[in-house]
Amino acid sequence: MSTLPPRTHGRLEPGRSVPARTLAPVLGDPLALPDPEHPTHVQFRRFAGCPVCNLHLRSVVLRHEEIERAGIRELVLFHSPAEELREHVEHLPFPVVADPDRRLYAEFGVESHRRALLDPRAWPAVVRAVLRSAWRLLRGRERPPATNQPNGRLGLPADFLIAPDGRIAALKYGEHVYDQWSVDELLAHAAALGPAD
């Protein structure tokens, strides 16, 4: 099995292996990637407080127990600084890692592009996310994102299912801001991987 470099057009392909590393979540203890006992679903999101990211993460939170029963570990990355991110993710039941220098984004071939928001397929989710976020802001249940986003607002999502041996079992590079695996798709990819022993 090969390690991350070389890449095809900056993007990775299933079957590649990721180097073992220890990551420091913004809350909680350091964690190993890959997890030696469980497949890990690695999500690349955008910035702290991103309404569209929050909309998707809510669907993951609602089914987190089901995801855990399937033996999957969740890990979410944002390209915001840890101090800003911490206040936005303290309610999440899974680890969140800050990557403000976008090192892991670059390593995994995760891009930013203006099509993130311009793709009409994203617009219904953008409207739902903004309305949900505005309602939560008015009720004091959510903080607005920082006005200045040093790494921009145009990131594209990406999903990776990494097997315990470090192999990328499945992946998806989003074509727009709300183009990521659903929980059902994640569970199907994990089932195809087989039981984690």
Side-chain angles (χ1 to χ4, degrees):
M1 254 183 251
S2 60
T3 57
L4 285 180
R7 301 181 201 143
T8 304
H9 304 298
R11 291 186 168 193
L12 304 178
E13 297 174 354
R16 303 262 177 153
S17 289
V18 300
R21 70 191 77 216
T22 301
L23 298 173
V26 297
L27 299 166
D29 298 326
L31 54 92
L33 181 68
D35 181 317
E37 297 179 13
H38 302 278
T40 303
H41 175 215
V42 180
Q43 296 187 50
F44 287 84
R45 308 307 309 173
R46 299 188 320 146
F47 54 89
C50 163
V52 178
C53 302
N54 290 344
L55 183 67
H56 174 67
L57 288 177
R58 177 154 172 70
S59 71
V60 176
V61 168
L62 290 173
R63 296 182 64 188
H64 187 247
E65 287 183 19
E66 184 180 355
I67 293 167
E68 282 191 322
R69 281 195 307 272
I72 304 164
R73 296 295 176 254
E74 282 290 331
L75 172 62
V76 181
L77 286 94
F78 283 87
H79 57 68
S80 294
E83 57 276 4
E84 181 184 344
L85 188 54
R86 197 171 286 117
E87 298 177 41
H88 289 276
V89 301
E90 59 193 3
H91 65 286
L92 296 177
F94 38 76
V96 176
V97 171
D99 186 14
D101 297 325
R102 297 183 65 104
R103 287 188 178 119
L104 289 170
Y105 285 75
E107 185 177 318
F108 280 76
V110 180
E111 305 170 336
S112 291
H113 198 280
R114 66 181 171 270
R115 73 177 179 267
L117 292 170
L118 297 178
D119 191 312
R121 294 173 293 177
W123 296 348
V126 170
V127 170
R128 278 195 334 268
V130 169
L131 291 174
R132 177 185 180 276
S133 218
W135 178 249
R136 291 182 60 82
L137 286 167
L138 288 171
R139 298 180 73 197
R141 294 188 176 173
E142 195 169 293
R143 276 189 60 238
T147 306
N148 180 26
Q149 295 295 333
N151 285 305
R153 296 177 181 265
L154 300 179
L156 291 166
D159 293 276
F160 295 82
L161 185 63
I162 300 176
D165 65 3
R167 178 177 42 89
I168 298 173
L171 58 79
K172 177 181 180 75
Y173 288 102
E175 295 180 14
H176 58 76
V177 71
Y178 202 68
D179 185 22
Q180 67 271 310
W181 286 337
S182 67
V183 172
D184 288 333
E185 288 171 311
L186 168 63
L187 294 172
H189 286 301
L193 183 58
D197 296 323

